[in-house]
Amino acid sequence: MKYTLFGESHGPAVGVVLEGVPAGLALDMEAIQFDMSRRAPGRNDLSTARREADVPHIASGVFEGRTTGAPLCAVVENTDTRSKDYERTRDLARPGHADYAAHVRYGGFNDYRGGGHFSGRLTAALVFAGAVAKQILAQKGVTVAAHISSVYGISDDPMEELEPLLAAQKKDFPVLNDEAGQRMQEAILEAKGDLDSVGGAIECGVFGLPAGLGAPGFGQNAEGIFSQYLFAVPAVKAVAFGAGVAFGLMRGSEANDPLYVDEDGSVKAEQNCAGGINGGITNGMPLTFEVTMRPTPSIARQQFTVDMAKNENAVLELKGRHDPCVVHRAVPVIEAAAALAACELMGV
Amino acid sequence: MKYTLFGESHGPAVGVVLEGVPAGLALDMEAIQFDMSRRAPGRNDLSTARREADVPHIASGVFEGRTTGAPLCAVVENTDTRSKDYERTRDLARPGHADYAAHVRYGGFNDYRGGGHFSGRLTAALVFAGAVAKQILAQKGVTVAAHISSVYGISDDPMEELEPLLAAQKKDFPVLNDEAGQRMQEAILEAKGDLDSVGGAIECGVFGLPAGLGAPGFGQNAEGIFSQYLFAVPAVKAVAFGAGVAFGLMRGSEANDPLYVDEDGSVKAEQNCAGGINGGITNGMPLTFEVTMRPTPSIARQQFTVDMAKNENAVLELKGRHDPCVVHRAVPVIEAAAALAACELMGV
Amino acid sequence: MKYTLFGESHGPAVGVVLEGVPAGLALDMEAIQFDMSRRAPGRNDLSTARREADVPHIASGVFEGRTTGAPLCAVVENTDTRSKDYERTRDLARPGHADYAAHVRYGGFNDYRGGGHFSGRLTAALVFAGAVAKQILAQKGVTVAAHISSVYGISDDPMEELEPLLAAQKKDFPVLNDEAGQRMQEAILEAKGDLDSVGGAIECGVFGLPAGLGAPGFGQNAEGIFSQYLFAVPAVKAVAFGAGVAFGLMRGSEANDPLYVDEDGSVKAEQNCAGGINGGITNGMPLTFEVTMRPTPSIARQQFTVDMAKNENAVLELKGRHDPCVVHRAVPVIEAAAALAACELMGV
Amino acid sequence: MKYTLFGESHGPAVGVVLEGVPAGLALDMEAIQFDMSRRAPGRNDLSTARREADVPHIASGVFEGRTTGAPLCAVVENTDTRSKDYERTRDLARPGHADYAAHVRYGGFNDYRGGGHFSGRLTAALVFAGAVAKQILAQKGVTVAAHISSVYGISDDPMEELEPLLAAQKKDFPVLNDEAGQRMQEAILEAKGDLDSVGGAIECGVFGLPAGLGAPGFGQNAEGIFSQYLFAVPAVKAVAFGAGVAFGLMRGSEANDPLYVDEDGSVKAEQNCAGGINGGITNGMPLTFEVTMRPTPSIARQQFTVDMAKNENAVLELKGRHDPCVVHRAVPVIEAAAALAACELMGV
């Protein structure tokens, strides 16, 4: 299964083509809309004020309610755009944003309005694709679930079982520990008050994967496959599996998962330090990882930058509606990327 | 340019086929051997006692001293193998190692001796490929250099300029701060004395890349491309670009790199928090990242595990010669992976 | 540059996403529409009576009239569908069509109306993609042009120079020799009168390609790259380069192109038997090939077949509007496939 | 499963790395050697006088007689090279050969001796890969078999059933009709006597493939997948499926295969005009195709050409040992390419 995104933040729509969807799947549109809404903007003051219904329209690949096996194209309209906000600062590269790199890459022809194709808006289409992937995985007993693991240094409880994650998915602010979540939200609102933004991290698990998927080689190892999908999500700057960066602080005797035969005869690891992957191959434990997301680069504060047209220094004061934090809205996006990666790993 | 590894730890040889090497390159075999030797085992008591000369033999793709453009195959012989060390524990999965996952994946037919194709031994061939890639990059003004950034929590100085890194490459223990390096080595020897191992991290920079390489989409973004190569290196469990996991602790006003026009008219970022990449595209600053490497899973301590043949619990006491830490030997390996990734990004 | 088609014959639309389009191209929509119209149905009694305007709508990737470098999505609406024609014969596999193979492949869930995603209708989107590719190639001095080389055994004059081909492109029935074209049309109408269809062949040239593109290996040779695009066109069953199947009747002394240095110092081949390709690499001569297209499988005659629902023999009398020959409408489709292949070969 | 070839005609060896070989396969080395020998040179006066034993050495991926799932590398040594034959004509491009195109592509750095990496010698490694693929297919009930369908216009009987093809495989000159084969051999020897060469064609069938493999899209259709492998074989210039170029002479009522339910309940096509493929998907009938192979370009006759060093016209009189026809030796090569393609189609 391959996905191809298209669209721009201020174009008519964003969309996705999914190739290789198994035929005969009765799409649960309600479940898809649930994930779309978890990501949708404009729901509260933690997110951008742009309001989008984010209802996907299916243009192909579904017939009489079931997937046909042909490419599935879904389109999500853009309805609430204010392009004029971007006119004035068109030539001023937003620090931390793709503006300057894209300007060089595309010779200045990229659509600058709202970040164009670089906008987080594209993740609406990605969430659609992921929601379809989740339904395919569900038929194979595989579930993907994530939570906010930290915002601006404030940590949620660590993820352990699937159930509490499924409960967290239903929350407006998807954490395991609501008290920590409360403090995270305060940090976000405080940053917003300061015309600033904050970063954070998302922890995700893929539960139910069988052992023996993947291979050690380039392009085949489970970590490489997942990272390819995860780094395609805007703002992700780090990907860590299992114990992740903590491995650097460990001894082998701590990091090695003692193995044992469980009551049902299956082989298990005691701690799952490896995040379900050894030698690039799944080991039957939940596949776990954490991604770090940078703070939203679009902030209203005065910033020093360059005028790309004049190639001279400039000062930027940004208008427009921006997210003071994207971590909470990105939870279903990371799940989507993980679900697509899991499909690849399972040979879907 | 694509690389394909082959070989096993205790087979006759390991090797690599490099496709797409530009024709006409006069291979600097001395530079290649330099990198091979940096990785080679048996040089001191910080590494495994297995001794290998690691001299690559070129089987194709070079004619009259220059690359022909045809696939370049290089073979590195295995000369110092002791396969009988592995006989006794053949059915006992080493915790933290790929043994169990590989057993499931390959139905028990994988070569268990010394880890077979999963062995770090394969990185000898990868270093060869990377050394060729470095010579291609050098012609384009691009240099890759890495250092040990930490071992068991002991940190080296942060990487800033290229020159000190090139100096570090020549050291037996490649750090910027030798005093910190001394403490790292003590930690490694202490772990070794405890029949244990330690993890760590490597920081790497790609200097001289032009702005405008990569694209935002899946499979095209610079982070995704690099991560694909880096996670193909055994023991790498986390990859972080620029400020990496620290982005999660930051505000936008800290994480956004103020841009300015440099004296030569080029656009620069003040801090390079982004690690040279915005929106998946290079921005002209050095591309920087850090990888975390897990502690060597093969340790001589008694460990609890399973007997894969009998599917029952077991106790493992491993013989064989093992590295108490792979971080220092992995520095040229990470450089190799980065050099191959940089070639892909540059369209080589 | 990669293309991804979506849509079904009787769905709301067909479309294409083109990734990797160079930024800054001022799209000539008139030239695009010219190719769209050459392929469009309903223009005369040689084609299906279904009438479609085939005006492409651009959904992304173009801003202020120029390509942005982001994925370019174009949609072509379906307006003249008569799905009820297909209800009655839903379970009867049309011999020669994909119905049975698709039924097995997709478990009966494929959209059967008008052939669904298997319909020649999808080539409308392919022609759009090819028209964009042609504009990219034009900037590099490369032109793609094709003509009907035969219908039902009646042959056109062989292709030699570019100019007559460009003149043929403007004809309703694109041949070099109009007298031969007249006889071809009579053969088509005669078949139509007999409730039958006819096959034929299309010869195509890519003019202006430099020498030295491609490589001998799998997935890299020019013939392999072109064939991949050409066999993705419905009804193409054979692809032959240069002298093609006539090579089997030749001696080396006939087939070898004597080389000479032309007045401008360039190396040329006297006959271009090789079709511009030696060893998988372009040699600077026009790249030429011929594709054979099978007769339209949908014919109104009584045919013996199977009822897929009952798994028993059946007799089919097809309703619906069908092309008695697709060769003339397929000329811009083959050009499109060739233009996309040429872009890949040129590294676009 | 992916294959990567390496080596040159006059280098130390040619070889192949096969990635993705299923683990646990007990390699039948005798069957592999049988195919190697069918292709090997120097067996009689119909082929080049170069004599090679063509015994493959396995360098990795096999342990205790069975495949391990790790990359399988096999090496075939070059023992009978006469490189000095090529010294004198080093700068003279052989007409019809890759010399000139390769010279441009690789800036003159390609290994010219015996055609270097462009040599048919590389097909020794391809036959090895194909022989492994055949053993994988055999476990799934799939058999690949080919025969010479024509040489210099002299045709063999058409292929129909598997059994006579298996009998032909055992012949020195693999045809169905030995009388026709006799005349073909005479044509080859006659050409040889004239210091010339001849072309021909090979017809191949893949028997036992289930219906429902492949998909209509680019890169997924069965014809496209097969053509990719077939055009990677040197000298192949045309690929035609089923009725092939004869489709251009047909009406739909002739070309459409009437379908029927066979005694065992399976759906069959009466004639198999489609060559086992409809809409890019297998239909359960044997997959059949024919490839046309150009006459060997290396002939001893005087030929007009260019001196690539001086960029001026020249006359070539070639020394060296050459095949007056490669068609008979290419039969196992085409089988190998088909076997690898069939593995891809089956998801191996």
Side-chain angles (χ1 to χ4, degrees):
Chain A
M1 202 159 74
K2 288 191 303 180
Y3 79 90
T4 305
L5 296 181
F6 61 89
E8 286 90 21
S9 183
H10 289 214
V14 298
V16 65
V17 183
L18 261 179
E19 295 175 279
V21 182
L25 184 70
L27 277 189
D28 179 345
M29 292 305 292
E30 208 169 316
I32 291 173
Q33 193 61 57
F34 175 68
D35 272 0
M36 297 298 289
S37 299
R38 290 167 68 204
R39 194 215 69 91
R43 291 182 302 157
N44 55 42
D45 54 3
L46 296 169
S47 305
T48 171
R50 179 172 171 177
R51 292 188 66 87
E52 296 283 359
D54 281 359
V55 176
H57 300 283
I58 292 177
S60 70
V62 176
F63 179 55
E64 298 176 345
R66 287 181 183 267
T67 56
T68 62
L72 197 171
C73 178
V75 175
V76 184
E77 287 180 17
N78 295 327
T79 59
D80 181 19
T81 56
R82 283 202 217 150
S83 301
K84 69 177 159 38
D85 288 349
Y86 294 86
E87 284 295 331
R88 202 175 52 86
T89 53
R90 172 173 187 162
D91 294 328
L92 303 186
R94 285 166 292 173
H97 210 290
D99 293 344
Y100 171 68
H103 182 83
V104 176
R105 173 71 173 84
Y106 300 116
F109 291 107
N110 53 303
D111 182 354
Y112 61 86
R113 300 167 304 162
H117 186 64
F118 290 84
S119 169
R121 176 90 190 120
L122 270 289
T123 59
L126 184 57
V127 165
F128 174 89
V132 174
K134 283 178 181 177
Q135 296 184 26
I136 296 165
L137 293 172
Q139 294 190 327
K140 299 172 186 291
V142 175
T143 308
V144 179
H147 71 119
I148 302 171
S149 50
S150 72
V151 165
Y152 199 45
I154 302 156
S155 296
D156 193 16
D157 293 345
M159 170 179 98
E160 280 173 356
E161 302 293 326
L162 174 58
E163 287 310 320
L165 286 169
L166 296 178
Q169 283 185 334
K170 301 203 175 75
K171 301 179 187 176
D172 277 348
F173 197 82
V175 288
L176 298 171
N177 180 327
D178 290 327
E179 189 274 324
Q182 193 56 43
R183 285 187 290 129
M184 292 180 197
Q185 294 179 58
E186 287 161 15
I188 295 171
L189 292 173
E190 196 173 343
K192 185 182 181 180
D194 295 345
L195 307 181
D196 213 333
S197 65
V198 286
I202 292 170
E203 193 184 31
C204 182
V206 185
F207 298 81
L209 284 174
L213 303 175
F218 174 79
Q220 302 179 301
N221 63 92
E223 289 104 334
I225 289 171
F226 269 76
S227 67
Q228 190 83 325
Y229 286 85
L230 294 167
F231 280 121
V233 175
V236 169
K237 294 297 280 187
V239 173
F241 293 88
V245 295
F247 274 123
L249 312 172
M250 285 181 174
R251 282 193 163 190
S253 55
E254 298 166 280
N256 289 352
D257 285 326
L259 298 170
Y260 65 98
V261 179
D262 205 4
E263 289 174 5
D264 63 359
S266 69
V267 171
K268 296 238 166 86
E270 276 186 16
Q271 322 163 53
N272 197 19
C273 273
I277 307 169
N278 293 116
I281 300 174
T282 57
N283 65 14
M285 298 296 292
L287 192 159
T288 64
F289 63 87
E290 188 174 46
V291 299
T292 305
M293 309 202 70
R294 53 162 300 142
T296 326
S298 294
I299 56 176
R301 284 192 170 203
Q302 197 185 68
Q303 296 183 89
F304 296 103
T305 188
V306 296
D307 182 311
M308 296 182 289
K310 301 179 184 160
N311 205 45
E312 63 183 32
N313 291 332
V315 175
L316 172 69
E317 281 186 68
L318 206 59
K319 304 294 178 208
R321 301 163 294 179
H322 306 294
D323 289 277
C325 181
V326 296
V327 179
H328 50 294
R329 288 182 57 202
V331 170
V333 180
I334 295 303
E335 288 176 6
L340 290 162
C343 282
E344 179 172 336
L345 202 57
M346 297 192 80
V348 173
Chain B
M1 202 158 74
K2 288 191 303 181
Y3 79 90
T4 305
L5 298 180
F6 61 89
E8 285 91 21
S9 183
H10 289 214
V14 299
V16 64
V17 183
L18 261 178
E19 295 175 279
V21 182
L25 184 71
L27 277 190
D28 180 344
M29 292 304 293
E30 209 169 313
I32 291 172
Q33 193 61 57
F34 174 68
D35 273 359
M36 297 298 289
S37 299
R38 292 167 69 205
R39 193 215 69 89
R43 291 182 302 158
N44 54 44
D45 54 3
L46 296 169
S47 305
T48 170
R50 178 171 171 176
R51 293 188 66 86
E52 296 284 359
D54 281 358
V55 176
H57 299 283
I58 292 178
S60 69
V62 176
F63 179 53
E64 298 176 345
R66 288 181 182 268
T67 56
T68 62
L72 197 171
C73 178
V75 175
V76 184
E77 287 180 17
N78 296 326
T79 59
D80 181 18
T81 56
R82 283 202 216 147
S83 302
K84 65 177 163 40
D85 288 349
Y86 294 87
E87 284 296 329
R88 201 177 51 89
T89 54
R90 173 176 187 159
D91 294 328
L92 303 186
R94 286 167 292 172
H97 211 291
D99 293 343
Y100 171 68
H103 181 84
V104 175
R105 172 71 171 84
Y106 301 115
F109 291 106
N110 53 302
D111 181 355
Y112 61 87
R113 301 167 303 160
H117 186 65
F118 290 84
S119 169
R121 177 90 192 117
L122 271 287
T123 61
L126 184 57
V127 165
F128 175 89
V132 174
K134 282 178 180 177
Q135 295 185 26
I136 296 165
L137 293 172
Q139 295 191 327
K140 299 173 185 289
V142 175
T143 309
V144 178
H147 71 119
I148 302 171
S149 50
S150 72
V151 166
Y152 199 45
I154 303 157
S155 296
D156 193 14
D157 294 344
M159 170 180 96
E160 281 173 355
E161 302 293 325
L162 175 57
E163 287 310 319
L165 285 169
L166 296 178
Q169 283 185 335
K170 301 201 176 74
K171 301 178 186 175
D172 276 349
F173 198 81
V175 287
L176 299 171
N177 180 327
D178 290 328
E179 189 275 323
Q182 194 55 44
R183 285 187 291 129
M184 293 180 197
Q185 294 177 57
E186 287 161 15
I188 295 170
L189 292 173
E190 196 173 343
K192 185 182 181 179
D194 294 346
L195 307 182
D196 213 331
S197 64
V198 286
I202 292 169
E203 193 184 31
C204 182
V206 185
F207 297 81
L209 284 175
L213 303 176
F218 174 80
Q220 302 179 301
N221 64 92
E223 289 104 335
I225 289 171
F226 269 75
S227 67
Q228 191 82 326
Y229 286 85
L230 294 166
F231 280 121
V233 175
V236 169
K237 294 297 280 189
V239 173
F241 294 88
V245 295
F247 274 124
L249 312 172
M250 286 181 174
R251 281 191 163 191
S253 55
E254 297 167 279
N256 289 353
D257 286 326
L259 299 171
Y260 66 97
V261 179
D262 205 4
E263 289 174 4
D264 64 358
S266 69
V267 171
K268 296 239 166 85
E270 276 185 16
Q271 321 164 52
N272 197 20
C273 273
I277 308 169
N278 292 117
I281 300 174
T282 57
N283 64 13
M285 299 296 293
L287 192 159
T288 64
F289 63 87
E290 188 174 48
V291 300
T292 304
M293 308 201 72
R294 54 162 298 142
T296 325
S298 293
I299 56 177
R301 284 192 171 201
Q302 196 185 70
Q303 297 182 87
F304 294 103
T305 188
V306 297
D307 182 312
M308 298 183 289
K310 302 181 184 159
N311 204 45
E312 63 182 32
N313 291 333
V315 175
L316 171 68
E317 278 184 71
L318 206 59
K319 302 297 177 206
R321 301 161 297 178
H322 307 293
D323 288 277
C325 180
V326 295
V327 180
H328 51 294
R329 287 181 58 202
V331 170
V333 180
I334 295 301
E335 288 176 6
L340 291 162
C343 281
E344 178 173 335
L345 202 57
M346 298 192 81
V348 173
Chain C
M1 203 160 74
K2 288 190 303 179
Y3 79 90
T4 305
L5 298 180
F6 61 89
E8 286 91 20
S9 183
H10 290 214
V14 298
V16 65
V17 182
L18 261 178
E19 295 175 279
V21 181
L25 183 71
L27 277 190
D28 179 345
M29 292 305 292
E30 209 169 315
I32 291 172
Q33 192 62 56
F34 174 69
D35 272 0
M36 298 297 289
S37 298
R38 291 167 70 204
R39 194 215 68 91
R43 291 182 303 158
N44 55 43
D45 53 4
L46 296 169
S47 305
T48 172
R50 178 171 172 177
R51 292 188 66 86
E52 295 283 358
D54 280 358
V55 176
H57 299 283
I58 292 178
S60 70
V62 177
F63 179 54
E64 298 177 344
R66 287 181 183 269
T67 56
T68 62
L72 196 171
C73 178
V75 175
V76 184
E77 286 179 17
N78 296 327
T79 59
D80 181 19
T81 56
R82 284 201 216 149
S83 301
K84 68 178 161 38
D85 288 349
Y86 294 85
E87 284 294 332
R88 203 178 50 88
T89 53
R90 172 174 188 163
D91 294 329
L92 303 185
R94 285 167 293 173
H97 210 291
D99 293 344
Y100 171 68
H103 182 84
V104 176
R105 173 71 172 84
Y106 300 115
F109 291 106
N110 52 303
D111 181 355
Y112 60 88
R113 300 167 304 160
H117 186 64
F118 290 84
S119 170
R121 176 93 192 116
L122 270 289
T123 61
L126 184 57
V127 165
F128 175 88
V132 173
K134 282 178 180 178
Q135 296 184 27
I136 296 165
L137 293 172
Q139 295 190 328
K140 300 172 185 290
V142 175
T143 309
V144 178
H147 72 118
I148 302 171
S149 51
S150 73
V151 165
Y152 198 45
I154 303 157
S155 294
D156 192 15
D157 294 344
M159 170 180 95
E160 281 172 355
E161 302 292 326
L162 175 59
E163 288 309 320
L165 285 169
L166 295 179
Q169 283 184 336
K170 300 202 176 74
K171 300 178 187 177
D172 277 349
F173 197 81
V175 287
L176 299 171
N177 180 326
D178 290 327
E179 190 274 324
Q182 193 57 43
R183 285 187 291 129
M184 292 180 197
Q185 294 179 55
E186 286 162 15
I188 295 171
L189 292 174
E190 196 174 342
K192 185 181 180 178
D194 294 346
L195 307 182
D196 214 331
S197 65
V198 286
I202 291 169
E203 193 184 31
C204 182
V206 185
F207 298 82
L209 284 175
L213 303 176
F218 175 79
Q220 302 179 301
N221 63 93
E223 290 104 336
I225 288 170
F226 269 75
S227 67
Q228 191 82 326
Y229 286 86
L230 294 166
F231 280 121
V233 175
V236 169
K237 292 297 280 187
V239 173
F241 293 88
V245 295
F247 274 122
L249 312 171
M250 285 181 175
R251 281 191 164 191
S253 55
E254 298 168 279
N256 288 353
D257 286 324
L259 298 171
Y260 66 97
V261 179
D262 205 4
E263 288 174 5
D264 63 359
S266 69
V267 171
K268 296 239 165 85
E270 277 186 13
Q271 321 164 54
N272 197 20
C273 272
I277 308 168
N278 293 117
I281 299 174
T282 57
N283 64 14
M285 298 296 293
L287 192 159
T288 65
F289 62 87
E290 188 173 47
V291 299
T292 304
M293 308 201 71
R294 54 163 299 142
T296 326
S298 293
I299 56 177
R301 284 193 171 200
Q302 198 185 68
Q303 295 183 88
F304 296 103
T305 189
V306 297
D307 182 311
M308 298 183 288
K310 300 179 184 159
N311 205 45
E312 63 182 33
N313 291 333
V315 175
L316 171 69
E317 279 185 69
L318 206 58
K319 304 297 177 204
R321 300 161 296 178
H322 307 294
D323 288 277
C325 181
V326 296
V327 180
H328 50 294
R329 288 181 58 202
V331 170
V333 180
I334 295 302
E335 288 176 8
L340 290 162
C343 280
E344 178 172 335
L345 202 56
M346 298 192 80
V348 173
Chain D
M1 201 159 74
K2 288 191 302 180
Y3 79 90
T4 304
L5 297 181
F6 61 89
E8 286 91 19
S9 183
H10 290 213
V14 298
V16 65
V17 183
L18 261 179
E19 294 175 279
V21 181
L25 183 71
L27 278 189
D28 179 345
M29 292 305 292
E30 208 170 315
I32 291 173
Q33 193 61 55
F34 175 68
D35 273 359
M36 298 297 288
S37 299
R38 290 167 69 204
R39 193 216 69 91
R43 291 182 302 156
N44 56 43
D45 54 3
L46 297 168
S47 305
T48 173
R50 178 171 172 175
R51 293 188 66 86
E52 296 283 0
D54 282 358
V55 176
H57 299 284
I58 291 177
S60 69
V62 177
F63 179 55
E64 298 176 345
R66 289 181 181 267
T67 56
T68 62
L72 196 171
C73 178
V75 175
V76 185
E77 287 179 19
N78 295 328
T79 59
D80 181 19
T81 57
R82 282 201 217 151
S83 301
K84 68 177 161 39
D85 288 349
Y86 295 86
E87 283 295 331
R88 203 177 49 87
T89 53
R90 170 172 189 164
D91 294 328
L92 303 185
R94 285 166 293 172
H97 210 291
D99 293 344
Y100 171 67
H103 182 83
V104 176
R105 173 71 172 84
Y106 300 115
F109 291 106
N110 51 303
D111 181 354
Y112 61 87
R113 300 166 305 161
H117 186 64
F118 290 84
S119 170
R121 176 91 190 117
L122 270 289
T123 60
L126 184 57
V127 165
F128 174 88
V132 174
K134 282 178 181 178
Q135 296 185 25
I136 296 165
L137 293 172
Q139 295 190 327
K140 299 173 186 291
V142 175
T143 308
V144 179
H147 72 117
I148 302 171
S149 51
S150 72
V151 166
Y152 198 44
I154 303 156
S155 295
D156 193 14
D157 295 343
M159 170 180 96
E160 282 173 354
E161 301 293 326
L162 175 57
E163 287 310 320
L165 285 169
L166 296 179
Q169 283 184 335
K170 301 203 176 74
K171 301 178 187 176
D172 278 348
F173 197 81
V175 288
L176 299 170
N177 180 329
D178 290 327
E179 189 276 325
Q182 194 56 42
R183 285 186 290 130
M184 292 180 198
Q185 294 178 56
E186 287 161 15
I188 295 171
L189 292 173
E190 196 174 344
K192 185 181 181 181
D194 296 345
L195 307 181
D196 213 333
S197 65
V198 287
I202 292 169
E203 193 183 31
C204 182
V206 185
F207 298 81
L209 284 175
L213 303 176
F218 175 79
Q220 303 178 301
N221 64 93
E223 289 105 335
I225 288 170
F226 269 75
S227 67
Q228 190 83 324
Y229 286 85
L230 294 167
F231 280 120
V233 175
V236 170
K237 293 297 279 187
V239 173
F241 293 88
V245 296
F247 273 123
L249 312 171
M250 284 181 175
R251 281 192 163 190
S253 54
E254 298 168 278
N256 289 354
D257 285 325
L259 299 171
Y260 65 97
V261 179
D262 204 3
E263 288 174 5
D264 62 359
S266 70
V267 171
K268 295 237 167 86
E270 277 185 14
Q271 319 164 53
N272 197 19
C273 272
I277 307 169
N278 292 117
I281 300 174
T282 57
N283 64 14
M285 298 296 293
L287 192 158
T288 65
F289 62 88
E290 187 174 46
V291 299
T292 304
M293 310 202 71
R294 54 162 300 142
T296 326
S298 294
I299 56 177
R301 285 194 169 200
Q302 196 185 69
Q303 296 183 89
F304 296 103
T305 189
V306 296
D307 182 311
M308 297 183 290
K310 301 179 184 162
N311 204 46
E312 63 182 31
N313 291 331
V315 175
L316 171 68
E317 279 186 69
L318 205 59
K319 304 293 179 209
R321 300 161 297 178
H322 308 294
D323 289 277
C325 180
V326 295
V327 180
H328 50 294
R329 288 181 57 203
V331 169
V333 180
I334 295 301
E335 288 177 5
L340 290 162
C343 282
E344 178 173 335
L345 202 57
M346 297 192 80
V348 173

